[in-house]
Amino acid sequence: MAADPARLRGRATVTRRHRMMAAGASGATRSSTAPPDLLGYGVCPVEDGRPNPYDPMALDSEDTGVIRETKAALVDNASIVGGGDVEQVRDRDPESSLGRSTTSQPRRYWPTQCHALQEIFFVRLNILLVFVPLGQLAKIFEYNSAIIFSTNFLAIIPLASLLGSATEALSAHVGQLFGGLLNATFGNAVEMIMCVQAVKAGLIQVVQGNLLGSILSNLLLVLGMAICASGILRKQQSFNAQGAAANMTCQAVASISVCLPTMFRAVSGASEADVLMISRVCSIFLMLVYGLFLYFQLKTHADLFAEEDGEEDTSDMLAPSPSVLLLFLATLVVAACSEALVDSIEEVSENYGLPKAFIGVILLPIVGNAAEHATAVTCAYKGMMDLALGVAVGSSTQIALFVVPCAVMFGWIYDQPMNLAFRNFDTACQMLSVFLVSQVLQHGNTNWLHGSMLMTTYLLIACITWFIPE
């Protein structure tokens, strides 16, 4: 930092004035012991024969302490007024009062963590956390099934947001590869937990509908709303077409893996045991494809998926230990709420005439994807279309290649006939949706009309789902 000329002139004036006083004072001569330049303002006159107050050898410990405190105070004032570097003074004089304040790093840890937790919890969506105890109380006291369903339905929405925030914070600290694996495991933890609960309860069609609905809601509803939000301010919005193409190719593979067992079931002489075994084999291959896609995304072709902002600053994020704790607690609470939600589906469907297909395909995906929906639409509105595509299309790829085969594996563990032979209508919806989204994204730019077409397709599917017979 350049020195202030006015300060330098003032300092030189004071030094010259002191020297003139020392040379022109009658009966006064320079002391043989030259006083040290303690304050940086030159040498002050000392009368001959008197003790030199600036000689450290002539001062007692009390006077030395006073001088040091005076020096520290002047350094403080200089750093405040003139922009001086206090850290340099601490290094030069470790015994001063400034030298004792060098351990500020540990004291910044807890304020940083408190601020990170405030950013995670103090959002409007978390008002719905009040339904977490209400939903558990409704289950314990065996209230009406509609109350149990609705309270736990609303409770899982903010819990999904907390799970996503904890996963994101933890992934930022463990590196790109392990961060990708964490996102693969916990990125759709709500869908995974609900699938496990429904598979244990034997609600196979509800599980299949939930998985299909999660894919469709991300590909059609979320992506369509994001494109329309971007189209409000922009005539056209460009994005990374190569990254989107890689995701859509994986979506096509997942659609084929669902279509083949469904078609095989219609073959004459095919048994349910054969369909189940084929589904399990296909699930293993799907998980292998997802592992290859992760290696492609994080290692060999990471430049296709690189964010524009570069490396993320983790100094203000939640530390690994509280992130793990938050992730663990949120997972436990989500498991409890999803168990109560799944247990009430049968009674709600029977007592209120709500089709199970509509619950699985339309309602349950809203629970796990509400926070992602809001993120994708907000990012697209701000012009960050690549990030919006990563949330919408990337999440659907994760569900199709990882969550769906995991649901089949859990059915194998719990001895439930969970397979990939979906309803013919479900399979057709998935294939046609992947084809439509591929057509929209193939050129690398979109407009509001594309988003409108995607949302219209989703509304058509939702209307027909309401009329699917049990």
Side-chain angles (χ1 to χ4, degrees):
M1 180 176 179
D4 187 1
R7 292 183 61 204
L8 291 177
R9 287 195 300 268
R11 179 171 176 175
T13 302
V14 174
T15 304
R16 286 195 300 269
R17 183 164 56 247
H18 284 178
R19 287 174 179 172
M20 291 174 63
M21 291 173 61
S26 58
T29 60
R30 293 285 300 271
S31 173
S32 59
T33 305
D37 184 8
L38 291 178
L39 304 180
Y41 289 101
V43 181
C44 295
V46 179
E47 295 184 1
D48 192 16
R50 296 183 181 180
N52 187 356
Y54 296 100
D55 186 1
M57 301 300 296
L59 300 176
D60 56 12
S61 59
E62 181 178 357
D63 293 332
T64 305
V66 171
I67 292 176
R68 284 177 176 172
E69 290 177 3
T70 305
K71 179 180 179 180
L74 289 174
V75 170
D76 278 338
N77 293 334
S79 63
I80 294 173
V81 176
D85 192 356
V86 181
E87 295 296 334
Q88 295 179 1
V89 177
R90 289 173 181 167
D91 296 337
R92 290 197 305 265
D93 193 1
E95 296 180 0
S96 65
S97 58
L98 293 175
R100 303 187 190 102
S101 303
T102 57
T103 59
S104 58
Q105 184 65 27
R107 284 185 289 182
R108 286 199 298 264
Y109 174 81
W110 292 112
T112 301
Q113 298 308 301
C114 292
H115 179 69
L117 288 174
Q118 286 178 2
E119 290 188 343
I120 293 175
F121 281 95
F122 290 0
V123 294
R124 294 179 181 178
L125 183 64
N126 287 340
I127 296 176
L128 297 177
L129 287 173
V130 69
F131 289 101
V132 173
L134 294 179
Q136 296 303 304
L137 290 175
K139 178 187 176 182
I140 293 174
F141 293 104
E142 298 181 355
Y143 286 171
N144 187 280
S145 59
I147 297 177
I148 298 176
F149 181 86
S150 59
T151 52
N152 286 280
F153 181 90
L154 295 174
I156 294 178
I157 294 176
L159 291 173
S161 177
L162 294 180
L163 270 175
S165 300
T167 303
E168 180 182 357
L170 186 59
S171 300
H173 291 286
V174 297
Q176 192 178 28
L177 181 60
F178 290 103
L181 295 176
L182 276 175
N183 281 318
T185 307
F186 293 99
N188 291 281
V190 175
E191 289 88 348
M192 184 81 72
I193 293 172
M194 286 195 297
C195 286
V196 172
Q197 300 289 353
V199 165
K200 288 174 62 178
L203 302 175
I204 304 301
Q205 285 194 349
V206 173
V207 177
Q208 292 176 341
N210 182 22
L211 295 173
L212 174 69
S214 297
I215 296 173
L216 295 182
S217 65
N218 280 290
L219 285 181
L220 300 177
L221 180 62
V222 180
L223 184 58
M225 292 179 65
I227 293 175
C228 284
S230 177
I232 294 175
L233 301 179
R234 303 163 190 88
K235 188 174 182 179
Q236 269 192 338
Q237 177 66 60
S238 301
F239 55 87
N240 183 3
Q242 292 179 311
N247 275 286
M248 295 314 301
T249 304
C250 293
Q251 287 284 344
V253 173
S255 300
I256 293 172
S257 68
V258 172
C259 182
L260 293 178
T262 304
M263 296 175 63
F264 177 80
R265 186 174 56 184
V267 174
S268 177
S271 64
E272 289 296 328
D274 294 335
V275 174
L276 186 60
M277 182 54 64
I278 290 175
S279 299
R280 291 169 179 172
V281 172
C282 290
S283 297
I284 295 174
F285 281 108
L286 281 180
M287 297 178 76
L288 177 62
V289 169
Y290 189 62
L292 295 175
F293 176 68
L294 280 181
Y295 186 75
F296 176 85
Q297 183 181 20
L298 302 174
K299 200 71 176 177
T300 62
H301 292 70
D303 56 309
L304 298 180
F305 305 90
E307 296 182 2
E308 298 178 358
D309 296 336
E311 296 185 359
E312 188 175 10
D313 184 15
T314 60
S315 59
D316 295 333
M317 297 184 67
L318 201 62
S321 298
S323 299
V324 171
L325 181 60
L326 179 60
L327 189 63
F328 176 73
L329 294 177
T331 303
L332 291 181
V333 180
V334 167
C337 293
S338 62
E339 182 180 4
L341 177 67
V342 170
D343 291 342
S344 63
I345 290 178
E346 289 279 359
E347 293 185 15
V348 169
S349 179
E350 294 176 359
N351 298 337
Y352 298 94
L354 198 61
K356 291 182 182 178
F358 187 81
I359 294 175
V361 177
I362 305 301
L363 292 183
L364 292 185
I366 296 176
V367 174
N369 298 324
E372 292 180 348
H373 292 186
T375 301
V377 173
T378 303
C379 292
Y381 183 79
K382 295 179 179 179
M384 298 180 288
M385 198 62 196
D386 285 325
L387 183 56
L389 283 174
V391 173
V393 181
S395 179
S396 60
T397 303
Q398 204 172 75
I399 294 171
L401 293 181
F402 185 74
V403 181
V404 171
C406 281
V408 176
M409 294 295 106
F410 279 115
W412 198 352
I413 294 173
Y414 292 114
D415 197 21
Q416 294 289 344
M418 175 63 196
N419 54 47
L420 296 178
F422 288 19
R423 288 186 295 254
N424 294 334
F425 174 76
D426 297 344
T427 305
C429 287
Q430 184 175 1
M431 293 289 293
L432 294 175
S433 298
V434 171
F435 173 75
L436 176 60
V437 175
S438 298
Q439 292 296 312
V440 170
L441 301 180
Q442 66 177 345
H443 301 295
N445 55 73
T446 59
N447 52 60
W448 63 267
L449 182 60
H450 292 151
S452 301
M453 290 187 294
L454 294 179
M455 289 191 295
T456 301
T457 305
Y458 184 79
L459 293 176
L460 290 174
I461 295 174
C463 292
I464 297 174
T465 303
W466 180 270
F467 294 99
I468 293 179
E470 295 296 332

